[in-house]
Amino acid sequence: MTRHQVSPVLKALPYKPTLSHRPGKNLLLPHPKPCRTGFWIAGGLFLGGVAAYTAFLYATLVLEPDYLLPKQDADVSSRYDARAKNFDDDVSIFEGIFGVNALRKRLAEQASGHVLEVSSGTGRNSSYYDLEKLKSLTFVDQSGPMVEIARKRWDMLHPGYENCSFYIQSANDPLPATAVPKGGFTTILQTMGICSTLNPAANLSHLGTLVDPAEGRILLLEHGRSKYRFVNWVLDKSAARHADKHGCWPNRDIKKILDESGLVIEKIEVSSFGTLYYVEARPGLKQMEASKSTVAKEKSKGFK
C-alpha cells in the first residue's frame, strides 16, 4: 500500500483593506505626482535649438572662400537696410530661445528721465518701457528702413505719446542740439550695438559724454566672444559670413571693448555659453569732463 504525504493546510490570513474608509469621513487617496511635461518639452526645445544652431554653423563654415567675404571689423551696417523688412522674424526665435527678450525687458524697465536709445533698430524694446518713468525718449539708428519700422511700432504701442523722437544717423555722430537735454540724458540704452558699430569703443566713449555726468547711466545688452574655446572657434570661423549676411560681427571681445571705452562698469553678467553680456555702466572721468564741456556750450540752446 502506497502512502502519500499530505501537506499541512495553511490558514488564510484575515483580509485587510489597503485604505480604511470610515462612514462620514472622506476617503484618503494618494496625491498624484506633479506633471512636469511642460518643463521637459521646454528643455528639449531649448537643447534642440542650440544643437540645430551649432550644427548649422559648423556645417556652413567652409561653404564660401574667405576672400569673397568682408575683412575683419569692416563696416557692414548697410546690410540692415535690406534686412529691415524681415529682421524681426529672423531674430525672434533666436532671442526667445536664449532669453534675450527677458533681458531687453529688464534693461528697458530701468530707463527713466530723459532716455536715449542708440542702435535702436526696429524698436524691439518699445513695449518694455515704463512711460510713467520717462520725460522723453529719443531713438537713434543709421538705417532709415529700420527707423521707419520703429516709428510705426511705437505709434501702434503708445498712441498719443508725444515726447518721442527718431533720428536716422550713426550713434558716433553729434546729435542736434535741440535733441540733447540740459545736463545730459538720464539713461542711455543700447542693445546689440557693439557688434555692428565700426568703432565700438569710441562709440561707447562718445555715449559717456551724452549722459548726465552726475546721475546718468548707460545700459547695454551685447553679444560677442565667449570664454569657451570651441564657441570662439565657431564664432571666428563663421564671423565674416555672418557679418556679410546679418550686418554684425559676432566675435568681438566685449570685455576688451568695455575696457577701452573708459566707462566705469558697475555690473556685468554673462550668459548663453558666455556670448551674451548684460552691462550697467556710468561715465568715466574723461567722459564726465567732456560732458560738462558739451553741456556748457549747449546750455543756452539745449533741450526744453
Side-chain angles (χ1 to χ4, degrees):
M1 181 176 178
T2 305
R3 295 183 179 181
H4 298 278
Q5 187 174 0
V6 180
S7 299
V9 178
L10 297 177
K11 292 184 179 180
L13 295 176
Y15 170 73
K16 292 183 178 180
T18 56
L19 294 174
S20 60
H21 178 61
R22 299 178 183 177
K25 298 217 174 184
N26 294 329
L27 180 64
L28 299 178
L29 297 175
H31 293 288
K33 293 182 179 180
C35 179
R36 297 183 178 179
T37 304
F39 171 80
W40 292 113
I41 290 176
L45 290 174
F46 172 77
L47 293 177
V50 172
Y53 185 69
T54 302
F56 170 77
L57 287 178
Y58 184 84
T60 57
L61 292 180
V62 293
L63 290 182
E64 298 179 29
D66 288 342
Y67 66 84
L68 294 177
L69 300 173
K71 294 182 179 180
Q72 183 66 37
D73 290 332
D75 186 1
V76 289
S77 57
S78 61
R79 273 63 168 181
Y80 285 101
D81 289 350
R83 292 190 66 206
K85 185 177 180 180
N86 300 317
F87 180 79
D88 290 324
D89 292 336
D90 290 343
V91 303
S92 290
I93 295 178
F94 171 83
E95 292 197 350
I97 291 175
F98 289 95
V100 176
N101 292 330
L103 291 174
R104 284 183 180 275
K105 184 174 187 293
R106 179 181 171 188
L107 228 66
E109 286 181 342
Q110 295 186 66
S112 62
H114 295 295
V115 178
L116 170 65
E117 182 178 338
V118 296
S119 298
S120 57
T122 59
R124 293 182 64 80
N125 299 323
S126 296
S127 61
Y128 302 130
Y129 284 108
D130 185 351
L131 300 188
E132 295 183 356
K133 296 165 59 176
L134 305 185
K135 294 181 179 179
S136 68
L137 181 58
T138 302
F139 289 101
V140 172
D141 197 283
Q142 61 184 5
S143 171
M146 299 196 90
V147 170
E148 187 59 29
I149 293 174
R151 189 196 308 271
K152 291 179 179 178
R153 169 175 274 157
W154 182 266
D155 290 340
M156 181 184 66
L157 291 172
H158 310 290
Y161 186 86
E162 297 180 352
N163 297 328
C164 184
S165 55
F166 298 83
Y167 293 91
I168 303 173
Q169 65 169 72
S170 169
N172 287 327
D173 295 335
L175 283 168
T178 54
V180 182
K182 292 181 179 179
F185 289 97
T186 315
T187 308
I188 295 181
L189 188 145
Q190 176 176 277
T191 53
M192 311 305 175
I194 286 179
C195 65
S196 56
T197 304
L198 184 59
N199 192 336
N203 171 55
L204 293 180
S205 181
H206 173 63
L207 295 182
T209 67
L210 298 176
V211 75
D212 184 335
E215 300 179 356
R217 302 175 67 205
I218 299 174
L219 307 176
L220 308 171
L221 179 59
E222 307 290 349
H223 70 100
R225 296 189 72 78
S226 170
K227 64 179 180 179
Y228 301 108
R229 290 185 178 180
F230 173 74
V231 175
N232 288 335
W233 179 81
V234 174
L235 292 176
D236 289 339
K237 285 291 185 179
S238 60
R241 187 168 295 103
H242 184 90
D244 189 43
K245 181 178 180 180
H246 300 289
C248 73
W249 293 96
N251 62 335
R252 284 181 170 170
D253 191 332
I254 302 300
K255 290 185 177 180
K256 180 181 178 181
I257 291 170
L258 291 174
D259 289 340
E260 293 174 350
S261 72
L263 298 177
V264 177
I265 308 303
E266 296 184 326
K267 178 184 290 187
I268 181 169
E269 299 175 4
V270 185
S271 58
S272 297
F273 306 100
T275 62
L276 195 60
Y277 295 78
Y278 171 95
V279 181
E280 297 179 8
R282 58 182 174 83
L285 291 177
K286 290 183 178 180
Q287 287 91 19
M288 291 176 67
E289 292 300 322
S291 177
K292 291 177 182 178
S293 175
T294 301
V295 170
K297 290 179 181 179
E298 303 296 340
K299 190 173 182 181
S300 62
K301 54 181 179 179
F303 188 91
K304 295 181 179 181

